[in-house]
Amino acid sequence: TQLLEQSPQFLSIQEGENLTVYCNSSSVFSSLQWYRQEPGEGPVLLVTVVTGGEVKKLKRLTFQFGDARKDSSLHITAAQPGDTGLYLCAGAGGGSNYKLTFGKGTLLTVNP
Amino acid sequence: IAGITQAPTSQILAAGRRMTLRCTQDMRHNAMYWYRQDLGLGLRLIHYSNTAGTTGKGEVPDGYSVSRANTDDFPLTLASAVPSQTSVYFCASSQREGLPQFFGPGTRLTVL
């Protein structure tokens, strides 16, 4: 079973601060996806990273896939209250198993 | 607007009753999934379907059944509901297994 560990589980910060959340595994993934889920809604895809070492930017969000494709990070610069939500990473396995494995998420609260 | 719809939005159900959660997508995606989301446990895959006419078991399939008679619909049935099935249920779809998933708005189910 492939497991994805996300840290921290909870993060409460002030508006304007920077933060990084992590997604780690002992397994290699063919790709890794990041989702954000707001209260009462389903997760929404933010980005997919495919190549080891890949960095993708989405406005103030920077996503990085580890060189070995076992881990990923999400860095938010100058967080805003609108960034509040549950951030989930999900890995797609290689070989014949392409089902997604989801981490348990990081619950981010950005206080005004 | 293309996407996934789920019905009902919420439901309170007596233990022992039969219940079907509905899910419809209009994106012509091949793969569909059912997850349950519980505090502290994250998203857990119940059942999936890689294409119309086929289904498979996920991480927590016991007590649930699914069918995939066509591309668009993927209903989830609880044959005899139990209180431990109280959860928020999300349906999702993707072009194929392993690719980014699009989630529905969820069904909040309470079994008393």
Side-chain angles (χ1 to χ4, degrees):
Chain A
T1 303
Q2 298 173 312
L3 295 175
L4 274 171
E5 300 286 339
Q6 288 192 244
S7 61
Q9 269 189 289
F10 303 95
L11 189 56
S12 181
I13 61 172
Q14 293 301 121
E15 183 175 1
E17 293 183 3
N18 302 331
L19 66 114
T20 303
V21 298
Y22 300 93
C23 177
N24 296 299
S25 176
S26 58
S27 301
V28 176
F29 292 99
S30 59
S31 69
L32 199 135
Q33 300 157 23
W34 283 93
Y35 295 79
R36 179 169 67 207
Q37 184 178 17
E38 299 187 13
E41 300 181 7
V44 175
L45 178 72
L46 294 174
V47 77
T48 301
V49 285
V50 178
T51 306
E54 181 177 5
V55 176
K56 280 192 174 179
K57 292 191 175 184
L58 188 65
K59 297 183 180 178
R60 295 175 293 98
L61 279 60
T62 301
F63 304 85
Q64 184 163 9
F65 202 11
D67 291 340
R69 291 186 287 129
K70 293 182 178 181
D71 54 83
S72 181
S73 63
L74 159 59
H75 182 79
I76 301 179
T77 303
Q80 299 176 2
D83 295 326
T84 293
L86 179 68
Y87 289 81
L88 296 161
C89 65
S96 61
N97 177 11
Y98 286 96
K99 281 188 280 294
L100 288 186
T101 299
F102 278 88
K104 293 182 180 179
T106 293
L107 185 60
L108 171 65
T109 302
V110 182
N111 303 297
Chain B
I1 298 176
I4 296 185
T5 57
Q6 291 185 238
T9 301
S10 64
Q11 182 76 44
I12 298 175
L13 191 66
R17 297 297 294 269
R18 181 183 180 90
M19 175 74 189
T20 295
L21 307 185
R22 299 184 298 279
C23 174
T24 299
Q25 55 106 355
D26 61 2
M27 296 174 282
R28 308 302 295 173
H29 283 170
N30 291 308
M32 297 187 74
Y33 315 85
W34 274 104
Y35 295 89
R36 58 177 292 174
Q37 188 174 38
D38 303 284
L39 198 62
L41 298 176
L43 279 166
R44 292 182 293 169
L45 182 66
I46 304 171
H47 284 287
Y48 66 94
S49 168
N50 289 335
T51 189
T54 69
T55 63
K57 293 182 179 180
E59 182 185 353
V60 288
D62 294 343
Y64 305 95
S65 64
V66 292
S67 62
R68 187 90 184 274
N70 57 60
T71 297
D72 298 343
D73 301 300
F74 191 43
L76 175 74
T77 297
L78 289 67
S80 179
V82 296
S84 62
Q85 292 177 312
T86 293
S87 186
V88 181
Y89 290 86
F90 289 100
C91 179
S93 72
S94 63
Q95 184 58 50
R96 63 169 173 80
E97 192 180 20
L99 292 183
Q101 295 181 9
F102 293 79
F103 284 80
T107 293
R108 183 174 294 276
L109 181 67
T110 303
V111 182
L112 302 175

